[in-house]
């Protein structure tokens, strides 16, 4: 990598950080595809379920925006999830043109199963560290989430929740 993202020691450290984040992502997703296959889901469908898991019932347009998708593509994904019995559509009483996506009981169970798999995977990884290493990793990750940039993203997300749930 040799400082590709910047000059000197800081650039090399930045490269190491980017590599570590990428590795962490792959580590946590390892074996995820097998779990998704058992649920009959592809990664787009799983991402949609997980987004709804965190946001709750969400307008179709807001769901597409959140996932960086276009509305027609989101509609296809939701159609498949409705067909599998994981989601249901409803209309907003104040605007019948607005489609709200929400879990069925089976969809909530599928999302919880994905989360359980993630937690099990995280615990397996953590078991390999001694206490001092484990504490250091947790503190580093907590530090990552307390940065101003990440906090501002979270604040924007909180502000948009009213829009997402049509409470404004």
């Amino acid at each position: 990598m040799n400082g590709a993202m910047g000059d000197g020691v800081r650039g090399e450290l930045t490269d190491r950080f980017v590599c570590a984040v990428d590795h962490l992502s792959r580590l946590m997703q390892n074996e995820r595809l097998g779990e998704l296959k058992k649920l009959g889901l592809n990664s787009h469908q799983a991402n949609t379920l997980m987004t709804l898991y965190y946001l709750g019932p969400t307008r179709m347009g807001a769901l597409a925006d959140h996932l960086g998708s276009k509305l027609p593509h989101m509609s296809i994904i939701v159609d498949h999830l409705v067909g599998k019995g994981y989601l249901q559509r409803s209309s907003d009483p104040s605007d019948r043109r607005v489609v709200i996506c929400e879990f069925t009981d089976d969809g909530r169970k599928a999302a919880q199963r994905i989360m359980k798999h993630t937690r099990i995977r995280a615990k397996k990884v953590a078991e390999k560290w001694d206490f001092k290493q484990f504490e250091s990793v947790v503190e580093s990750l907590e530090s990552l989430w307390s940065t101003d940039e990440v906090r501002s993203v979270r604040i924007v997300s909180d502000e948009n929740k009213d829009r997402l749930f049509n409470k404004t």
Side-chain angles (χ1 to χ4, degrees), residues 99-154:
V99 175
I100 309 252
C101 302
E102 57 189 320
F103 282 124
T104 62
D105 287 339
D106 286 345
R108 187 171 289 102
K109 288 175 188 172
Q112 289 169 342
R113 189 168 158 184
I114 293 168
M115 284 303 300
K116 182 179 178 183
H117 178 76
T118 301
R119 286 186 186 102
I120 289 169
R121 184 72 182 135
K123 287 179 180 181
K124 282 181 183 177
V125 170
E127 287 172 357
K128 296 178 180 183
W129 298 319
D130 64 33
F131 183 81
K132 189 169 179 130
Q133 288 173 309
F134 189 28
E135 184 178 41
S136 175
V137 168
V138 170
E139 288 172 355
S140 295
L141 290 171
E142 289 171 344
S143 176
L144 176 68
W145 287 109
S146 69
T147 62
D148 285 340
E149 183 178 326
V150 175
R151 242 187 323 188
S152 67
V153 170
R154 179 72 183 135

Side-chain angles (χ1 to χ4, degrees), residues 50-99:
M50 296 317 301
T51 299
L52 288 170
Y53 181 82
Y54 290 111
L55 297 179
T58 306
R59 297 169 111 184
M60 180 80 78
L63 189 58
D65 287 345
H66 190 81
L67 290 167
S69 182
K70 301 288 184 202
L71 194 55
H73 184 244
M74 192 81 261
S75 293
I76 292 168
I77 293 169
V78 169
D79 283 344
H80 288 287
L81 290 168
V82 167
K84 294 173 190 288
Y86 289 146
L87 294 184
Q88 61 188 15
R89 288 186 175 104
S90 59
S91 26
D92 185 330
S94 64
D95 185 349
R96 309 236 352 114
R97 297 170 296 174
V98 174
V99 175

Side-chain angles (χ1 to χ4, degrees), residues 18-28:
V18 170
C19 184
V21 169
D22 182 53
H23 239 45
L24 177 62
S25 179
R26 281 188 275 139
L27 183 67
M28 292 308 300

